[in-house]
Amino acid sequence: MDFDKNNRPLSSIGHEQSTMLIGTKLNVPPMKSKMVPRPHLVNRLSEGRDCRLIVISGMAGSGKTSLACQWVSEEELTAVWYSLDENDNDADLFFRYLLTALSGVDNDFAAAAKPLLQAQKQLSGKEVIPLLIESLTEAPQDIYIVLDDYHAIYSQEIHDALSYLLDYAPPRIHMVIISRHAVPLPLSRLRVRGQLVEIHASDMRFTDEETEQFFREIMPVKLSSDEVHELARYAEGWVGGLQLFGLSLKGKESLDGLGNVSGKVSQEVLGYVLEEIIRLQPERVASFLWTTALLDRFNVDLCRAVTGLEDAFEIIEHLYRINLFLIPLDAEHSWHRYHHLVSEAVRERVKRSSPVVFSETHRKAALWFAKNGYPEDAFRHAFASEDMEFAADMLEDHLLSLHEHCEVASGLRWLGKVPHAVFVERALLRLYECSLKISSLQFRYIEAVLEDIENRETELFERYEGLKKKVCQDLAAHLRHVLPYLCESVSMDQTLLSRDFQRIFSRGGLFPGIIEDLVVGQHLFLEDMRLVAGALKDTSAKVFLSESVWTRVIWYHSMAYVERWQGKLDGSESALKEALAFLDKKGLAEVPFRFMFYPAMAWIHYFRNDLDAALGYANMAVEHAEQIGSVKDIVEGNIVLAFICMAAGDGGRMKDTVKRIRWVSETMGNPSLIVLTNTITAGLSLAAGDVGWVREWMQSRQPFAEEPVSFCCVHEGIIRAQLLFQERDYDGAVRILEVLRNQCADRNVLELVLGIDLFLAAALYVLNDSSRAQTILDGALNFAEAQGYVRQGVHYTPAISAVLMDMRRARPQSSGRMLHLAPMIGDGNVNMGDPGAHDGVAKRSICGLTPREMEILELMAAGCKDREIAEKAFISRHTVKTHSKRIFQKLGVNTRLQAILRSREL
């Protein structure tokens, strides 16, 4: 005999008594007084109300039943509600309840079902489902059979019976299944037929807006928008978690820090999870949950390593089917994690109750991540094990991989977590730290560490043997040899350096890349592109055979700069794109290496006068350099950023950027960096019109030498020539420029030759050497056009406009497209005095109009409107209006037509 929940024999229940069951298992759960409306989900359900099956699935406490109640209430549906539990796997019990529920909404069906309900025999799907299909075919209204908590059903007989019902159900019969688990029914068939609506676990998560509404209306707590957002992020949209937070916060004035309530919530979550989920799982699944919940993320192989269970894949699949707080981290479902609240709760329980298991699991995970090339995860689990000697060993074994990927900030962060007592006895960790701190130019610190290690070398190196001991020796030798070059920029003997590092070269890995970077950097500083190109060519075979990512990246980085300095913008861009493609191929698209190339990208776009793109790359480069604390990258990124801001007319930001460059270089106290910074700052200041500071700085420098041998010397010479130009010492300016041009041409630094030629042409023109000025300018502009340089033409426009106008009149068809565009490119921003004040220029002016104003006037005369003038002249419409106003004032007119007529009279 079968009994209901009130211990009554079900076989004796007839239609007259069926209402006795309503209010127990067959009633719609009472609507809460308040419920967060979820119109986007309700609309999806309403749109599929004619489908045969509607499935609402999600983890425990995700609001599935509440959503279904909301829909049934708002749509005023005729629904029979059956709340299931494990006892309902008895087929006779299940079908008696189902018949009783349907009898309550359709009198004709009640009459047909009465004989079965009163029969003294076991009911089965084979007789109940055909009766249901036949009796409800002509149902006068749509009936929704809601099976709540269907995850409790494991009876295959019930699954098969409901599958048959779904295949042959009358048009007005619809089934709504609410379940934590995947539903074992023929969903694919229904999906193909368009007879299925699905609301998944991911759909059930509360949005930030719904979370805010929940805490404002359902469980009122005084929280700010930021606090609500923090809770939403922490609870990951899980309604059950939000309810626990709400209960913990009830009566509090504010959140006052998430940590104040998260501990209590974690314990409540753990109790909930233990009561509702883990205790119901098989022992192997429960053991799997306790262990893997300690991991931030995991895949099948990692699970096998830490649990020892070979059927990890099957267990993970099972956890997904039952919606057990498991969240996929990729589209392929290769990586997974648990809901934060669940994993944190379980971790605290395991740490307290099984500290040995806790530590051992983290050590196993650290070893697996390290072996499989995930150093960040490896270090995180190593330190989580709370075994600091193990964590230090892990860093010694694998920290070099972070250096290889330019993860400077990450490496220093992990080293900073090692307790001081452990750290000072680990020479290898201290040497790694020194290598990482090279980029931040902390040379005095490195010198002190090296001295301490050398004084205690026997004692400190004794703990190591084999490869680790050799790495220690190599690192110490490497740092000791390169430190003088880095500190003082001493002249480098490449042969001597190669000999000193022969044993390090033979080891491969990181060191060849660093040595190559030093050699190439020295040649770049000396601005000898011939030597740099030769060095890169000599090392290319070794580089492309090397397994070191760092070595390859350094090679590409150097090649990009060499190509650009040689005047090949396209070649430079090709090297950068090839480098980025290489990183993508290696799966390193997101590592800091990418940002190493952004200053070079910014320079390319700057010289093409694509200032928006240049600014984007420069901003990203500076932001990243600041994050990792790389002084070299901070200075380089800010230098190109300052030039871009100057070109864009953003003088305020340019000055702020210059101040930042000077502050960084002076703080670090590196002599070479200070000289470089002062040289660049002087050039920018002069362009911005701040001549006083530049003159004062120049007086502290040595007199100009005719043998410039470095980047700084060349730029310092250009600044001296600009100052002489302003002082009208044109002969002196020409003399310096000619020396600089010859030096740069000999070294194949054609990018600088271009700028020097533009300046030299202007100076020669003022000296009335028009023929030579035109010849030099013609060659420069043709080179600029061929290689894609635009910005230099923009920069020197005020100085070369008069030469260009003569050239256009003398040979308008001979000098290429750049010749015609240059005078209209922009306002220019180089301050070399007023060219209109010199005799060679003044005699060509009309009423004091500048060459730029003459060009604007010519465009007016050609019938161009302000918008067309702005486009042709590469300036803004506001600037056009400013020029127009000045032209009218100088000509004494009020309109454009009057200006044109007046200029023709003159």
Side-chain angles (χ1 to χ4, degrees), residues 234-515:
Y234 196 67
E236 297 187 281
W238 180 35
V239 183
L242 294 175
Q243 290 173 331
L244 291 173
F245 273 118
L247 292 171
S248 298
L249 291 166
K250 207 165 185 178
K252 294 181 179 291
E253 290 297 320
S254 67
L255 181 58
D256 193 27
L258 185 60
N260 294 335
V261 295
S262 61
K264 180 179 179 181
V265 170
S266 292
Q267 291 307 307
E268 293 176 349
V269 168
L270 180 60
Y272 178 82
V273 171
L274 284 172
E275 181 67 24
E276 294 290 325
I277 299 170
I278 296 182
R279 70 176 182 81
L280 301 177
Q281 303 304 316
E283 183 178 347
R284 289 171 66 80
V285 175
S287 173
F288 181 93
L289 285 167
W290 284 116
T291 304
T292 56
L294 302 180
L295 309 175
D296 292 329
R297 62 177 186 138
F298 51 87
N299 62 13
V300 173
D301 288 338
L302 174 56
C303 290
R304 288 173 180 152
V306 299
T307 66
L309 299 174
E310 289 301 318
D311 58 344
F313 176 81
E314 290 75 13
I315 294 176
I316 290 174
E317 290 294 302
H318 168 71
L319 296 180
Y320 271 114
R321 283 195 300 272
I322 65 175
N323 278 320
L324 204 152
F325 298 94
L326 204 58
I327 298 172
L329 297 178
D330 54 23
E332 296 76 21
H333 282 213
S334 299
W335 286 92
H336 326 269
R337 70 169 174 84
Y338 293 105
H339 190 287
H340 290 314
L341 287 174
V342 174
S343 59
E344 287 181 13
V346 173
R347 287 173 195 176
E348 288 300 317
R349 170 69 175 269
V350 175
K351 186 176 181 179
R352 288 196 310 271
S353 61
S354 306
V356 175
V357 173
F358 180 87
S359 182
E360 183 181 353
T361 299
H362 280 298
R363 288 198 297 270
K364 287 180 179 179
L367 293 170
W368 185 93
F369 276 118
K371 179 181 177 182
N372 287 275
Y374 300 100
E376 280 282 344
D377 297 270
F379 299 152
R380 184 166 57 252
H381 283 287
F383 281 95
S385 73
E386 300 184 350
D387 183 342
M388 292 300 109
E389 293 293 341
F390 172 79
D393 287 339
M394 184 65 63
L395 287 176
E396 287 185 338
D397 291 338
H398 301 283
L399 192 63
L400 191 61
S401 63
L402 291 184
H403 201 314
E404 262 275 293
H405 294 164
C406 199
E407 299 275 5
V408 176
S410 177
L412 292 173
R413 185 179 74 251
W414 288 117
L415 286 169
K417 292 180 180 294
V418 181
H420 179 73
V422 176
F423 184 74
V424 294
E425 299 303 318
R426 299 271 185 157
L428 187 52
L429 292 184
R430 298 178 71 187
L431 290 168
Y432 276 148
E433 183 190 44
C434 289
S435 297
L436 292 168
K437 286 190 173 183
I438 283 178
S439 65
S440 58
L441 308 187
Q442 299 183 45
F443 301 137
R444 292 178 183 173
Y445 174 85
I446 297 171
E447 180 70 30
V449 172
L450 288 176
E451 183 177 347
D452 181 63
I453 289 176
E454 286 174 356
N455 292 336
R456 303 172 56 202
E457 181 172 344
T458 303
E459 172 194 351
L460 293 176
F461 283 19
E462 190 176 45
R463 69 177 298 122
Y464 304 113
E465 58 183 23
L467 181 60
K468 272 193 177 182
K469 190 168 187 175
K470 189 174 189 307
V471 172
C472 268
Q473 294 168 342
D474 287 352
L475 265 175
H478 160 70
L479 290 168
R480 177 55 67 192
H481 280 80
V482 304
L483 211 54
Y485 301 113
L486 297 170
C487 291
E488 304 297 338
S489 292
V490 299
S491 180
M492 181 180 293
D493 185 329
Q494 187 176 352
T495 304
L496 180 62
L497 191 65
S498 298
R499 186 195 67 190
D500 288 344
F501 282 91
Q502 190 60 46
R503 65 191 181 90
I504 299 178
F505 266 55
S506 64
R507 192 179 155 263
L510 178 66
F511 297 108
I514 294 177
I515 305 304

Side-chain angles (χ1 to χ4, degrees), residues 122 272 275 338 407 412 524 567 589 665 689 692 753 764 823 869 871 893:
Q122 297 283 324
Y272 178 82
E275 181 67 24
Y338 293 105
E407 299 275 5
L412 292 173
L524 280 172
S665 62
V753 170
L764 289 170
I869 295 174
E871 292 174 355
V893 298

